[in-house]
Amino acid sequence: MPKEPPGTLVYNPLLDVRLHSLRYSTVDSPPLPIYSDLMEGFAQVLRRRIKSNYQNVVGVIGGTGSGKSSWGLQECFLVDPYFQLQGNYIYDTSDLAAKLAQPKGSVSPVNFLDEGSVILNSSRHSTKQSTDIVVLFDTMRSRGMTTFICIPELRSLNNRIREDHLNYLVVCGEKAPDPAYQRRGFFKLFMRTRPSTFSNSVFWKPIGWGIYKPLKPKLDAEYQEYKRRAQDRLLDDFYERNAAGEV
């Protein structure tokens, strides 16, 4: 990615924040702005909503190697500087239930739900874990929490979460917004809107493009260890249920 100045300070009315615009994309019609500080500006929006006791649910979409987990983790720290993986890394229903059982002021207002397809997959909507976590999301409405859900495709997400809870979408790994850039290291932000008060349809309005960097090696190593442990725990549970004839 070429090094360049931070850009021109402009006002984004959709987010109600000031951001630095580098240029406009060449892959969108109409062209969308490319911001150098969209991650920071978006974190400001989420913190503002947390302060007003609103729930934030952000879907982070992208295939394997798209950088969605890297983006999600970095945004967690921007929203809450005291964020840590311990206690806030959510891989299954028990992780989230354990966190919500804690007093509200004693835990981070941010959840990092990695591999959302494990418990929020639309094809597994009738499983107990998927049903339970929807109830937990309903509970979180009054707690002013922000949850980042990493998942390969939007259509894979549980319908209730997708239709009733999701506020923003971040897409990683798409074609770069300009030929001058490489593909990796960019994300596209969308905001949930409705055509009218009485409409049930949802429209995802594009806001613009942002830039992000890979995880620092120390954080990446810590993240990979948490992910490995969670996967091992999931497999152990599967083997136990299979042995008991529950699968």
Side-chain angles (χ1 to χ4, degrees):
M1 186 185 302
K3 187 176 181 180
E4 54 187 303
T8 304
L9 188 63
V10 297
Y11 175 71
N12 185 292
L14 295 174
L15 296 179
D16 189 24
V17 294
R18 294 189 178 277
L19 299 166
H20 288 87
S21 177
L22 296 170
R23 64 182 75 180
Y24 281 86
S25 69
T26 60
V27 298
D28 302 292
S29 183
L32 293 172
I34 305 171
Y35 298 109
S36 63
D37 53 357
L38 183 54
M39 288 190 76
E40 292 81 1
F42 185 42
Q44 180 182 335
V45 172
L46 298 179
R47 287 196 302 270
R48 188 170 63 206
R49 286 173 55 87
I50 290 173
K51 190 174 181 180
S52 299
N53 215 36
Y54 286 115
Q55 176 183 235
N56 299 310
V57 181
V58 182
V60 189
I61 315 298
T64 302
S66 63
K68 62 182 182 295
S69 296
S70 177
W71 183 93
L73 267 180
Q74 291 179 74
E75 193 72 11
C76 286
F77 283 97
L78 287 173
V79 176
D80 177 15
Y82 299 101
F83 178 85
Q84 56 183 350
L85 284 168
Q86 183 176 356
N88 303 303
Y89 179 86
I90 311 297
Y91 202 83
D92 63 18
T93 311
S94 63
D95 294 329
L96 184 56
K99 179 173 179 177
L100 292 179
Q102 303 299 315
K104 180 180 176 180
S106 67
V107 296
S108 171
V110 178
N111 306 308
F112 180 66
L113 209 162
D114 199 18
E115 302 293 341
S117 56
V118 172
I119 52 176
L120 291 174
N121 199 308
S122 58
S123 65
R124 302 174 67 241
H125 67 279
S126 59
T127 63
K128 186 177 187 306
Q129 269 214 348
S130 188
T131 302
D132 287 348
I133 204 163
V134 169
V135 173
L136 294 177
F137 267 84
D138 289 337
T139 303
M140 283 194 294
R141 282 188 189 276
S142 63
R143 296 204 171 201
M145 284 190 165
T146 293
T147 302
F148 295 96
I149 305 174
C150 296
I151 197 164
E153 296 181 359
L154 179 60
R155 65 181 181 181
S156 301
L157 195 59
N158 177 292
N159 288 341
R160 274 290 313 282
I161 302 298
R162 187 175 66 230
E163 299 299 324
D164 297 345
H165 290 278
L166 211 59
N167 307 112
Y168 300 95
L169 281 179
V170 170
V171 179
C172 299
E174 282 197 338
K175 184 178 180 180
D178 187 284
Y181 298 111
Q182 296 178 353
R183 176 170 170 259
R184 192 176 173 93
F186 283 89
F187 68 96
K188 195 173 182 179
L189 178 63
F190 297 80
M191 181 179 185
R192 177 193 183 103
T193 62
R194 290 185 182 275
S196 70
T197 303
F198 304 102
S199 173
N200 290 324
S201 60
V202 173
F203 172 69
W204 292 102
K205 186 173 184 62
I207 292 176
W209 293 84
I211 297 171
Y212 68 105
K213 297 178 181 179
L215 287 179
K216 292 182 178 179
K218 183 177 179 180
L219 178 58
D220 186 46
E222 183 183 4
Y223 160 65
Q224 295 299 337
E225 179 61 19
Y226 268 85
K227 185 173 183 176
R228 183 192 64 77
R229 291 177 187 172
Q231 290 174 336
D232 288 347
R233 188 180 65 201
L234 188 73
L235 288 173
D236 289 343
D237 178 65
F238 176 81
Y239 294 145
E240 288 178 10
R241 289 187 294 111
N242 185 63
E246 298 177 12
V247 179

